[in-house]
Amino acid sequence: MKNCEYQQIDPRALSVSPSSVQNHTEKKVQRLRRKWEVFPGKNRFFCDGRIILARQSGILPVTLGLIVVTCGLFFAFDCPFLVTHLTVFIPVIGGVLSLFVVTSLLRTSFTDPGILPRATPDEAADIEKQIDNSGSSTYRPPPRTKEILINQQVVKLKYCFTCKMFRPPRTSHCSLCDNCVERFDHHCPWVGNCVGKRNYRFFYSFIISLSFLTSFIFGCVVTHITLRSQDGKSLIQAIQESPASVVELVICFFSIWSILGLSGFHTYLVASNLTTNEDIKGSWSSKRCTEESGNPYSYNNIMTNCCVTLCGPMPPSLIDRRGFLPLVAASPATETELPPFPVKNDTNMCTKSTKDVLERLVRSLDSRGRCPPGAPKTTPVAVEISAAATPPAERSPPTGCSRQHAGRHTAAAPCPPFARGRERRDSFQSSNPAFRLASPSPSLSRTFILGEAPDVGFIPPP
Amino acid sequence: IRPLQDLRQPAVSSKVFVQRDYNSGTISKFQTKFPSELESRLDKQQFEETIQTLNNLYAEAEKLGGKSYLEGCLACLTAYTIFLCMETHYEKVLKKISRYIKDQNEKIYAPRGLLLTDPIERGLRVVEITIFEDRSIGSGR
């Protein structure tokens, strides 16, 4: 739960100048833009949309570095000795394993985990209408949730305020990536991406192969040092001859415990067709003694569950990163207006996130002198759909920021924080203020960052 | 003064969204409930047939069987590099679905001033049916 204190935000803190924005919006967008350039989530795209990565991929280089360094040391220092003393297959096996590990890791990181594109404004309006209509009845379930029956089990579908739709079952909204992800497992910082429906099998093969690799290297290094110290030398001497082995030993020793544990945990999850999210939240903990679990998605057969999760058909990416946006001349009136400063909507914004947004804003403007991050991404998406629909969320100058992005093919760190903050605000404006919003599930602090963002934390003023 | 016929732009009257049916789990399936807004334009039976065919096609794409397992295992063994050159079964069926939708639009929906949007363009969330209000008298389709 966020700490929500009401605080007036000083508009002068924002150093955005409206005049520069207007100059950009005078010119029309000349070239065809791809959909990834206007993607509203916090993702980064490379190779013209072929590669997708979460915004914070901080630990991925560390993971890659550790693997590459360990393997490199292994091949350079241990393999020559072991080849001569044992067999030539050792570097062969090691090579195959490392290749598999690195490929799986890169596929996990760069694959779209199953991101659900956000609802178009027409859809969102339609859903709102339906929610409003179904309000009055004797039994009133908490608003913004829908109950359905799957395999005789009651499943609650929650409404996602950011994506403006009812989340399909097993879908969760990742706050780090600001996307709804299908069959959301967890957001893995080591891999730098969410793990969801489309990349779970890559993630699983990554951790399994990594377990084998670390065990293999560990075994080989121990054998190496043992063999060396057997030739009439002491252990200390053997270590002095091959210091790299100690480094490898240390790395492998510490990673083996966590990796093996993780592999075991995920093997259990795969066998019972659960996600980390569901397991931690205890969604299907058995309430009845007669059944093993109340999981409605399980096929109650370990082999079937494994096959379905790991070898099932590969669903396509729903966000169509490389598709072209239809060229629609956006009405200049909406673009030149800057977003109204959050003063009026303060009750809907938590101080902490606003401060965050402002800090990042100031920093980004100072360091790179970039475009005013006026949520450029959301506007073109809405405009493209239909000129008739007046999207409530769009008031910001889009082309200013997007034009600069159009110039660079590898978009790094597009202006997300402000966009995110605005998304939240706008969703509250469009919601019926009479609704009392349901309290969110408590966010658990574990090593893996869960995706259940506290979409709603407070009651909007009537 | 330009006659309206020259514009040839039927105004969009409204859009109907056919939502997903999750009663069978997470598989792609759409509700076959006939929306009331289409009553004046379309037969209930035709609508249900369209949606049911779509549901069957999606079921075929997501079918779990020997073929899909084989594809999955082969992909795993080649470290998933095989997807760089081969099209998955799902993608093949998606192409089939878009051909079907185009066909349905040409034969059934366009003559009635309706347009089916391929659900894949809406993230498989909804089947969007656009109802066109035919203002220009002469250029009725």
Side-chain angles (χ1 to χ4, degrees):
Chain A
M1 287 283 288
K2 290 185 197 163
N3 222 354
C4 301
E5 293 167 35
Y6 186 107
Q7 226 182 52
Q8 198 84 351
I9 299 167
D10 187 8
R12 288 166 299 189
L14 295 170
S15 50
V16 176
S17 57
S19 52
S20 62
V21 168
Q22 273 175 345
N23 288 336
H24 285 296
T25 54
E26 295 307 323
K27 310 170 199 164
K28 255 194 213 173
V29 178
Q30 295 297 327
R31 71 169 191 90
L32 275 173
R33 285 183 301 159
R34 294 200 189 252
K35 288 187 186 166
W36 63 264
E37 296 177 49
V38 298
F39 187 69
K42 286 192 208 174
N43 288 92
R44 287 197 274 170
F45 297 90
F46 299 101
C47 289
D48 200 20
R50 290 184 182 88
I51 291 176
I52 178 172
L53 207 65
R55 189 172 68 97
Q56 302 161 338
S57 58
I59 314 191
L60 174 64
V62 173
T63 314
L64 261 175
L66 271 174
I67 295 172
V68 167
V69 160
T70 314
C71 293
L73 289 175
F74 175 70
F75 288 122
F77 293 98
D78 295 284
C79 278
F81 184 89
L82 288 168
V83 163
T84 50
H85 282 74
L86 280 177
T87 165
V88 75
F89 281 117
I90 289 188
V92 170
I93 297 174
V96 167
L97 272 176
S98 340
L99 204 66
F100 205 79
V101 166
V102 173
T103 326
S104 306
L105 171 64
L106 292 179
R107 278 249 45 167
T108 314
S109 302
F110 296 152
T111 306
D112 166 20
I115 297 174
L116 278 177
R118 298 191 182 176
T120 56
D122 296 318
E123 283 176 57
D126 188 66
I127 293 179
E128 302 247 354
K129 222 175 17 171
Q130 284 178 19
I131 295 175
D132 285 346
N133 286 343
S134 62
S136 51
S137 55
T138 45
Y139 167 63
R140 201 195 164 107
R144 304 293 177 150
T145 57
K146 208 160 62 166
E147 284 190 356
I148 55 166
L149 214 65
I150 300 179
N151 272 346
Q152 283 88 47
Q153 269 265 351
V154 173
V155 175
K156 255 196 203 159
L157 299 184
K158 290 201 191 145
Y159 183 78
C160 183
F161 283 97
T162 317
C163 306
K164 307 258 180 74
M165 61 177 175
F166 277 99
R167 285 187 212 131
R170 306 193 102 177
T171 305
S172 198
H173 191 95
C174 176
S175 45
L176 286 166
C177 305
D178 205 22
N179 290 316
C180 268
V181 177
E182 283 191 289
R183 203 186 182 277
F184 181 78
D185 197 85
H186 65 282
H187 182 100
C188 188
W190 295 93
V191 152
N193 200 3
C194 290
V195 177
K197 183 162 88 167
R198 295 185 78 243
N199 65 352
Y200 187 70
R201 62 192 74 191
F202 306 138
F203 177 74
Y204 186 72
S205 63
F206 167 61
I207 54 175
I208 293 288
S209 51
L210 191 62
S211 322
F212 281 120
L213 183 67
T214 43
S215 322
F216 180 73
I217 292 184
F218 189 76
C220 287
V221 170
V222 166
T223 316
H224 175 199
I225 296 197
T226 319
L227 286 177
R228 264 196 204 261
S229 55
Q230 265 177 358
D231 293 342
K233 304 172 199 158
S234 72
L235 190 64
I236 310 289
Q237 258 185 314
I239 291 176
Q240 277 174 343
E241 279 178 17
S242 171
S245 309
V246 182
V247 175
E248 291 167 56
L249 259 177
V250 168
I251 295 178
C252 288
F253 183 75
F254 284 115
S255 40
I256 267 188
W257 299 116
S258 40
I259 299 289
L260 278 178
L262 197 61
S263 305
F265 176 62
H266 276 279
T267 310
Y268 157 72
L269 287 182
V270 164
S272 40
N273 203 333
L274 278 173
T275 63
T276 309
N277 205 11
E278 289 166 354
D279 185 72
I280 288 181
K281 277 157 67 174
S283 315
W284 315 118
S285 58
S286 54
K287 294 160 190 162
R288 287 169 280 181
C289 320
T290 46
E291 276 178 55
E292 280 180 7
S293 70
N295 184 5
Y297 312 108
S298 169
Y299 293 84
N300 292 323
N301 178 344
I302 290 182
M303 273 309 294
T304 318
N305 282 339
C306 290
C307 288
V308 165
T309 314
L310 301 173
C311 309
M314 183 71 174
S317 174
L318 295 172
I319 54 177
D320 188 23
R321 307 185 285 279
R322 290 177 46 82
F324 285 105
L325 281 174
L327 270 179
V328 177
S331 50
T334 51
E335 288 166 43
T336 49
E337 229 184 293
L338 269 183
F341 291 117
V343 178
K344 295 174 195 150
N345 309 319
D346 259 346
T347 42
N348 296 341
M349 280 269 282
C350 298
T351 318
K352 184 167 181 285
S353 61
T354 321
K355 273 187 186 159
D356 252 336
V357 162
L358 284 173
E359 275 171 12
R360 268 179 270 183
L361 207 74
V362 172
R363 243 186 289 137
S364 72
L365 287 173
D366 284 347
S367 58
R368 280 167 280 184
R370 271 209 195 185
C371 46
K377 306 231 183 85
T378 48
T379 315
V381 173
V383 166
E384 139 215 0
I385 302 300
S386 99
T390 44
E394 286 19 274
R395 268 159 293 153
S396 53
T399 47
C401 195
S402 341
R403 282 220 75 224
Q404 292 198 17
H405 283 282
R408 306 160 225 258
H409 278 262
T410 59
C415 328
F418 206 68
R420 180 179 171 213
R422 288 207 64 244
E423 274 293 323
R424 292 276 174 91
R425 218 181 28 255
D426 298 330
S427 52
F428 287 134
Q429 285 177 1
S430 64
S431 71
N432 190 339
F435 270 121
R436 289 286 170 262
L437 300 161
S439 56
S441 49
S443 53
L444 307 158
S445 54
R446 298 279 284 237
T447 320
F448 301 123
I449 299 152
L450 294 174
E452 192 67 48
D455 288 314
V456 175
F458 33 80
I459 301 165
Chain B
I1 297 169
R2 265 195 175 168
L4 275 173
Q5 281 92 320
D6 283 2
L7 294 174
R8 288 203 175 270
Q9 189 90 331
V12 175
S13 155
S14 63
K15 291 190 185 186
V16 180
F17 297 99
V18 179
Q19 299 286 340
R20 282 271 292 267
D21 178 5
Y22 293 117
N23 289 318
S24 316
T26 49
I27 58 167
S28 300
K29 197 174 165 198
F30 292 96
Q31 292 178 358
T32 47
K33 187 168 90 70
F34 188 57
S36 49
E37 294 94 332
L38 296 175
E39 260 164 26
S40 54
R41 304 256 191 155
L42 193 65
D43 284 338
K44 183 176 173 184
Q45 200 220 355
Q46 267 170 334
F47 171 81
E48 278 180 9
E49 198 189 302
T50 310
I51 301 290
Q52 197 56 49
T53 315
L54 279 178
N55 286 344
N56 291 341
L57 284 168
Y58 281 116
E60 187 195 320
E62 296 173 358
K63 194 175 67 151
L64 305 157
K67 190 164 177 238
S68 65
Y69 290 154
L70 197 67
E71 197 185 51
C73 287
L74 187 68
C76 179
L77 289 172
T78 59
Y80 302 104
T81 50
I82 198 164
F83 288 147
L84 295 169
C85 35
M86 201 179 85
E87 201 182 52
T88 68
H89 172 67
Y90 207 117
E91 283 167 352
K92 288 192 190 124
V93 180
L94 280 180
K95 286 199 175 152
K96 206 164 141 187
I97 289 172
S98 64
R99 279 197 302 269
Y100 173 74
I101 288 183
K102 190 164 164 238
D103 183 61
Q104 288 278 293
N105 269 332
E106 280 169 11
K107 291 197 187 137
I108 301 177
Y109 289 83
R112 291 169 170 76
L114 300 170
L115 181 70
L116 273 180
T117 306
D118 196 339
I120 195 75
E121 289 174 32
R122 297 286 176 263
L124 289 183
R125 290 186 305 265
V126 288
V127 177
E128 187 180 299
I129 303 176
T130 318
I131 303 175
F132 288 106
E133 199 185 275
D134 213 9
R135 285 213 195 118
S136 47
I137 306 156
S139 64
R141 281 143 92 203

